[in-house]
Structures are given as structure tokens and as C-alpha cells.
Amino acid sequence: MTHAQIEALIPHAGRMCLLDTVLHFDAEHCHAQSHSHRHSHGAADHPLFAHGRLGMSVAIEYAAQCMAIHGALTANQDQPKRGGRLLSVRSVTLHRPQLDLQEPLLVKVHKIMGDEHTQIYDFQLLLPHKAQLLCDGRASVMLTPQ
């Protein structure tokens, strides 16, 4: 799945659509890759760049976009398209202070449970080639009414 196809699925567009490709998805998982944080793309031009840096807390937005993609890809295609709102994040661990890396990022989300109103995901942001964990946590998403 390409960046343009991702933009068609989620409400984020242009530079705010942070994910480049979807590598895998199934009923419970979605794995995506991103290069949007890289200096060669102009990190200062990143929409979440603030105070001279790209803080690691932006990993939560990367994960939220991966959750939105997962929801769109696994939704019942016979039903109207639904959006979602991030309700809370818990047990978040930021393993670095900032996202100042050149390697591509791997974003993994795992849907733990969900119903027609709420979904709960575990998420991770990693450097796949080094198997280095950058951020992990849990998020709750409230689905918008149909």
C-alpha cells in the first residue's frame, strides 16, 4: 500500500500523513513504515517539529495513524466509513528523547479488543534493521457514530 492509498483511507493529508507504506495487516495487526522523520526529508519541515527538534512523543501520532489505517482496512465494507478519536494513551515508554534518526521507522499496532464503540491497541515504534524499540504503549480509540 502506497502513501497515496494511505491518504485516501485516513483524514491526514500532505506532510501530516506520516506513514509511507503498509507492510502487513490482518484482523488484529497492522505494520507500516515511515521515512517522514528523516533529515533528508527536512525534519524542520515536519508538521510536528517544535522547539528545534522532533520529540519522541510524536511516535504516538505515528501509532494513531497506523491504528486508523488498520480500522479502515478491517472495517466492514458494507457499512458507512467511520472515523475515530484517540481517547487515551497509557503505559507509554519513550526510549529516546527525540526522533533524530536516519533509518526508516517501523510502526506496529496490535488490536487487543474492540467493539462498535471503542478499540484498544498496543503499539510500538521501532528501528527494524537494529530491532531497537523506540517507543511503546497502549491506546484507546473511540469510534465516531455511524
Side-chain angles (χ1 to χ4, degrees):
M1 178 170 279
T2 67
H3 183 85
Q5 291 169 317
I6 292 170
E7 278 187 311
L9 288 176
I10 64 175
H12 302 81
R15 296 278 294 148
M16 196 55 210
C17 181
L18 301 177
L19 303 175
D20 296 317
T21 57
V22 172
L23 304 172
H24 165 80
F25 81 92
D26 60 32
E28 296 176 353
H29 304 89
C30 188
H31 300 172
Q33 189 172 47
S34 178
H35 300 274
S36 66
H37 65 289
R38 294 169 63 171
H39 293 296
S40 63
H41 282 68
D45 188 38
H46 192 286
L48 300 175
F49 188 86
H51 308 291
R53 66 189 209 126
L54 189 57
M56 186 56 70
S57 62
V58 304
I60 295 167
E61 179 61 28
Y62 282 84
Q65 289 188 24
C66 195
M67 291 173 220
I69 292 165
H70 182 259
L73 291 172
T74 59
N76 182 341
Q77 300 305 312
D78 296 332
Q79 298 291 325
K81 193 173 180 179
R82 297 178 70 184
R85 302 270 189 259
L86 194 60
L87 284 179
S88 68
V89 291
R90 297 173 189 258
S91 303
V92 175
T93 303
L94 306 175
H95 298 276
R96 294 177 58 92
Q98 62 188 46
L99 199 51
D100 56 353
L101 306 160
Q102 289 298 312
E103 297 92 345
L105 301 175
L106 175 62
V107 183
K108 292 183 171 184
V109 299
H110 172 220
K111 183 177 166 183
I112 298 170
M113 62 188 317
D115 59 25
E116 66 273 8
H117 304 291
T118 309
Q119 297 179 346
I120 299 175
Y121 286 89
D122 279 336
F123 64 87
Q124 296 180 321
L125 189 74
L126 306 109
L127 291 178
H129 295 41
K130 297 179 181 177
Q132 180 182 358
L133 184 61
L134 302 173
C135 174
D136 61 318
R138 178 168 286 178
S140 299
V141 177
M142 178 181 68
L143 300 176
T144 56
Q146 292 184 2

